Amino acid sequence: MTTATAPALHTVLGSGPAGTALAAELVRRGHPVRLVDRSGGGPAIEGVERYAADVATPEGARAAVAGAAVVYHCVNVGYHLQVEVMPKIQEAVLGAAEQEGARLVVLDTLYPYGETHGAVMTEDSPWNATTRKGRMRAELDARYLAADREGRLPVVLGRSADFVGPGVLNSTLGGAVFPAALTGQPVPALGDIDLPHSYTYIGDVATGLATLGERPEGDGRVWHLPTAPARTTREVLALVEERTGRPIDVTVVAEPRPFGPFDETFMAEYAEMFYQHTEAQVVDSSAIEKAFGLAPTPLETALDATLAWYGELLAATYH
């Protein structure tokens, strides 16, 4: 007589838009899921255990990943704290996942590439970051890949462009744009709005990371998460305009200054990253699409879902 073994636990660290979307995607795929943040609170998600832990500490990280076969690191911190805090989180999470014998899937950014002068970013693009946050991310990524190479634990990195989608507030295509577009307020747009700029739909972040979590043959390298072909900011805003049926009053933010949900503290820290809006940001995700049969959500579909979510949010706020 054989006994069925319980499905392996997948633990998601970080309950922001990416972690929350990923937890729901993993449940959809039949995995038991633990979603970890410092409070353990938030709306109930069917099939997801919410858990409180501070993964910047070794003890918190060990408690968070106990019993997990796969750990997804989707934790982020306030922009002004990143250079100091993200390395501590890495050290704690790497140590805990290694001790647990788990695989580690890391949600990553484009920052290690630095300024590309508009060149298309692939997984083979050089890491030329010169900013504090870019160099920090590159150093973290080098350590993640070294941990895999040295046999400490299997690690894979999924890189995303700027997020867009339901639940996404703190993005250049987020809380400063959609409520204003839906209510006829001025819509801020950063830098040169005639340059192409890639956005990764939050649903594709979840699909990409979940796929990497299920497919160990992808370990030991960086993958670009599925990302729709880049459009210019002007084209993106025209698509939003079509969908809302309202003309958009665009306010071009040509240099780093506070706007919308981005306050002075944030923008002072973001200034070094503003090159992302003064040169083209074009992400090629064909590698993960070919390797795992994934396809990015068309931008039009992503915008439909995002506008619907923001419409519900505004309705709930004002009623």
Side-chain angles (χ1 to χ4, degrees):
M1 175 178 159
T2 57
T3 54
T5 54
L9 176 66
H10 287 233
T11 291
V12 180
L13 309 179
S15 65
T20 301
L22 173 58
E25 174 66 16
L26 290 167
V27 168
R28 194 184 68 73
R29 293 177 182 221
H31 301 291
V33 178
R34 177 187 298 149
L35 180 59
V36 180
D37 62 21
R38 291 176 69 167
S39 75
I45 304 170
E46 191 172 348
V48 174
E49 172 206 0
R50 285 192 176 268
Y51 188 88
D54 180 0
V55 299
T57 68
E59 313 75 46
R62 283 197 298 272
V65 309
V70 186
V71 175
Y72 302 83
H73 176 3
C74 300
V75 180
N76 209 349
V77 297
Y79 224 61
H80 61 295
L81 301 172
Q82 288 190 0
V83 172
E84 179 192 350
V85 177
M86 291 303 284
K88 293 178 185 172
I89 294 173
Q90 177 189 52
E91 188 176 352
V93 169
L94 265 178
E98 180 182 5
Q99 188 177 17
E100 194 60 40
R103 292 178 57 239
L104 180 61
V105 180
V106 180
L107 173 59
D108 195 20
T109 72
L110 304 176
Y111 291 6
Y113 299 129
E115 295 182 47
T116 64
H117 309 293
V120 175
M121 286 174 262
T122 72
E123 290 88 342
D124 296 322
S125 295
W127 296 8
N128 289 331
T130 56
T131 62
R132 288 165 61 246
K133 283 178 279 296
R135 287 198 309 269
M136 176 268 292
R137 291 280 186 176
E139 286 164 11
L140 296 189
D141 289 357
R143 279 184 219 138
Y144 284 126
L145 295 174
D148 181 277
R149 198 168 54 247
E150 292 159 8
R152 287 178 55 192
L153 77 168
V155 184
V156 62
L157 280 66
R159 279 191 183 149
S160 172
D162 288 341
F163 294 163
V164 63
V168 175
L169 295 167
N170 295 324
S171 166
T172 53
L173 196 55
V177 172
F178 294 103
L182 285 163
T183 57
Q185 303 300 308
V187 172
L190 299 189
D192 183 343
I193 69 172
D194 291 306
L195 292 172
H197 194 101
S198 290
Y199 294 95
T200 307
Y201 181 53
I202 202 70
D204 295 333
V205 173
T207 301
L209 292 175
T211 300
L212 293 176
E214 292 179 334
R215 303 285 291 271
E217 66 268 31
D219 290 349
R221 58 162 288 180
V222 171
W223 297 90
H224 287 174
L225 298 173
T227 301
R231 312 278 265 275
T232 69
T233 301
R234 194 183 297 277
E235 288 173 318
V236 173
L237 294 177
L239 290 171
V240 173
E241 197 171 62
E242 275 174 35
R243 281 156 175 74
T244 61
R246 284 176 176 272
I248 286 184
D249 174 13
V250 179
T251 299
V252 174
V253 181
E255 57 194 26
R257 61 176 173 81
F259 70 96
F262 302 112
D263 61 18
E264 201 168 327
T265 302
F266 176 88
M267 288 310 290
E269 279 293 332
Y270 191 66
E272 66 171 6
M273 308 304 301
F274 204 77
Y275 69 82
Q276 296 174 108
H277 307 285
T278 56
E279 64 177 28
Q281 289 271 291
V282 180
V283 172
D284 178 326
S285 61
S286 56
I288 201 168
E289 294 169 37
K290 288 174 187 157
F292 300 110
L294 301 178
T297 301
L299 183 61
E300 291 82 354
T301 307
L303 291 174
D304 288 340
T306 305
L307 283 162
W309 184 85
Y310 271 99
E312 289 172 12
L313 182 69
L314 288 172
T317 302
Y318 294 111
H319 291 293

